[in-house]
Amino acid sequence: MAYLLIKGSKNGQRVLLKSGKNALGRHEKCDVVIDDAFLKTPVRKTDSVSRRHAVITGIDDKFYIEDGDGDGKASRNGTFINEHPVPFPGRVQLKNKDVIRLCDVTLLFLEDEQDLVSVEVSLSNATSMFGMRSQSADKLNTVLEISNSLSNTFEIDANCSRRPSDAFSSRGKSVRLR
């Protein structure tokens, strides 16, 4: 089985590719409908994905991508694999972890579920790291001050005269540890 993993505004959503033809585009009858929800910002019609922008064809265990509607009409803005244009007419065999770009829409081609799981874990870790980075500056600054105060306690002679509660005060305010 092969999948497309969507990057961008629908990050992490996956699409199972069937054997035979899989049409990608804005048209509601496409197998992978690329609507405005895929895009980070709205685009002009001339910069957007075509109604039938590309076709991915599964033959045996191999998948090929071609630009256009599959019936002889090229897409308006082209199809790219790893930032290289897919020739029209013609097709390119997809390899595991190829990056497909249709205008502002980016898809990752994955050949099996094992790769899908490892990519999902990476996405999950990236989301967790974003959450850690979005902590308020005040909280992080307080933690830094406490850490600095605690690291200074190894200078025993200098700190013997200080009260233990002084190590946990920040700019004259007491800090509660939870």
Side-chain angles (χ1 to χ4, degrees):
M1 283 193 247
Y3 296 88
L4 291 178
L5 188 67
I6 300 166
K7 296 177 154 188
S9 63
K10 290 190 172 188
N11 203 16
Q13 187 175 356
R14 62 181 175 225
V15 177
L16 176 64
L17 294 172
K18 62 184 182 194
S19 61
K21 290 190 174 194
N22 299 271
L24 290 80
R26 287 185 295 117
H27 195 278
E28 62 190 28
K29 291 187 179 178
C30 285
D31 300 293
V32 181
V33 178
I34 300 172
D35 55 15
D36 289 339
F38 275 82
L39 306 173
K40 295 177 185 173
T41 57
V43 295
R44 299 178 314 217
K45 188 174 182 182
T46 57
D47 297 332
S48 70
V49 172
S50 300
R51 285 184 195 93
R52 287 183 47 104
H53 195 100
V55 176
I56 296 177
T57 305
I59 302 171
D60 297 322
D61 288 337
K62 296 179 181 172
F63 286 83
Y64 301 88
I65 189 166
E66 58 187 290
D67 182 56
D69 64 2
D71 293 324
K73 184 178 178 187
S75 70
R76 178 180 297 153
N77 295 307
T79 301
F80 297 85
I81 303 298
N82 303 320
E83 292 306 318
H84 298 286
V86 173
F88 180 86
R91 66 181 186 180
V92 174
Q93 183 178 348
L94 291 169
K95 295 182 281 311
N96 195 38
K97 298 184 182 176
D98 272 346
V99 177
I100 301 166
R101 184 173 61 79
L102 314 173
C103 298
D104 285 346
V105 177
T106 304
L107 310 161
L108 182 66
F109 175 77
L110 298 170
E111 290 181 329
D112 61 34
E113 291 183 77
Q114 183 68 25
D115 291 321
L116 185 64
V117 170
S118 66
V119 170
E120 285 178 341
V121 168
S122 295
L123 289 172
S124 175
N125 287 341
T127 304
S128 298
M129 290 303 294
F130 175 75
M132 288 174 55
R133 286 188 202 120
S134 64
Q135 294 287 327
S136 71
D138 289 338
K139 288 180 183 178
L140 293 173
N141 193 30
T142 300
V143 170
L144 178 63
E145 287 178 11
I146 291 170
S147 176
N148 286 338
S149 290
L150 290 174
S151 69
N152 290 334
T153 59
F154 290 108
E155 299 170 10
I156 295 174
D157 293 337
N159 290 312
C160 283
S161 63
R162 292 176 57 187
R163 293 178 298 161
S165 62
D166 290 344
F168 296 101
S169 65
S170 173
R171 290 186 223 119
K173 301 177 189 174
S174 64
V175 177
R176 290 186 182 166
L177 299 176
R178 296 182 190 179

